Amino acid sequence: MTPRGAADPPDDLRSVPAIVVMGVAGCGKTVVGEALARALQAVYIEGDRLHPPENVARMARGEPLTDALRAGWLDAIGESIVATVSGGRKAVAACSALKRGYRDRLRRFCPGIVFVYLKIDRETARRRVANRKGHFMPASLVDSQFAILEEPAADERAVTVDATAGVAAIVREALG
């Protein structure tokens, strides 16, 4: 199911300059973002790699990030997106973008961004995060992500996809 609102994304995401794959930890942003970038022959930007070391250390200790701590990280993602698009390439970035304000901040860098929201239930997200190996984000932070999550509103350019489907099905659904 792909709800669309007043600010509908284009029927074909192949025509947009940048896509941000968003959602809580464990929804599949990285694997879906990589697959979507391959399908679109786009540059993939892994948002987790752009966190400053202090943010990574904080999350590894089980401390959620504040809006202030996320600001520079969001700017780094936005700058990577705009550099890619300015260079004539499409960009697909993985970024939680949990609040509308975070998405608005990214849109200031590239107004044409469309968000692909990987919607998932809390229990599935918690289980997936707990089963990850070698990632700094502990399962204990999943609840804090759901606590601040603001799903994309009808006036945002966003596509909502069921994150429990297989990766290929998610990519097909996102691309329409």
Side-chain angles (χ1 to χ4, degrees), residues 12-80:
D12 186 350
L13 290 185
R14 290 169 185 84
S15 67
V16 302
I19 296 168
V20 173
V21 180
M22 62 160 289
V24 299
C27 70
K29 293 180 294 290
T30 296
V31 69
V32 171
E34 290 171 341
L36 197 53
R38 277 192 305 276
L40 296 171
Q41 296 180 338
V43 173
Y44 175 68
I45 300 165
E46 176 53 66
D48 280 348
R49 289 195 191 113
L50 298 174
H51 271 296
E54 311 81 59
N55 283 8
V56 173
R58 185 186 239 8
M59 288 183 283
R61 290 190 305 267
E63 300 172 26
L65 298 180
T66 63
D67 289 352
L69 290 170
R70 290 179 199 266
W73 170 65
L74 291 165
D75 290 349
I77 293 169
E79 290 164 2
S80 292

Side-chain angles (χ1 to χ4, degrees), residues 5 14 24 46 70 89 94 98 126 150 156 162 168:
R14 290 169 185 84
V24 299
E46 176 53 66
R70 290 179 199 266
R89 301 281 314 270
L98 296 172
R126 192 179 294 122
E150 298 170 3
E156 294 185 75
D162 177 2

Side-chain angles (χ1 to χ4, degrees), residues 78-155:
E79 290 164 2
S80 292
I81 290 170
V82 79
T84 300
V85 172
S86 295
R89 301 281 314 270
K90 291 181 183 300
V92 174
C95 171
S96 55
L98 296 172
K99 292 184 177 182
R100 182 178 186 128
Y102 304 165
R103 296 186 294 275
D104 290 345
R105 189 176 193 112
L106 291 171
R107 276 190 281 270
R108 284 194 289 272
F109 286 92
C110 184
I113 288 175
V114 173
F115 292 86
V116 173
Y117 169 43
L118 300 179
K119 187 170 183 164
I120 193 168
D121 64 275
R122 187 180 308 251
E123 213 33 63
T124 303
R126 192 179 294 122
R127 185 177 61 253
R128 285 181 178 181
V129 172
N131 288 331
R132 288 197 296 207
K133 304 286 186 248
H135 195 278
F136 59 83
M137 178 75 131
S140 62
L141 286 179
V142 170
D143 286 338
S144 71
Q145 295 216 320
F146 276 96
I148 67 167
L149 175 63
E150 298 170 3
E151 293 187 355
D155 65 335

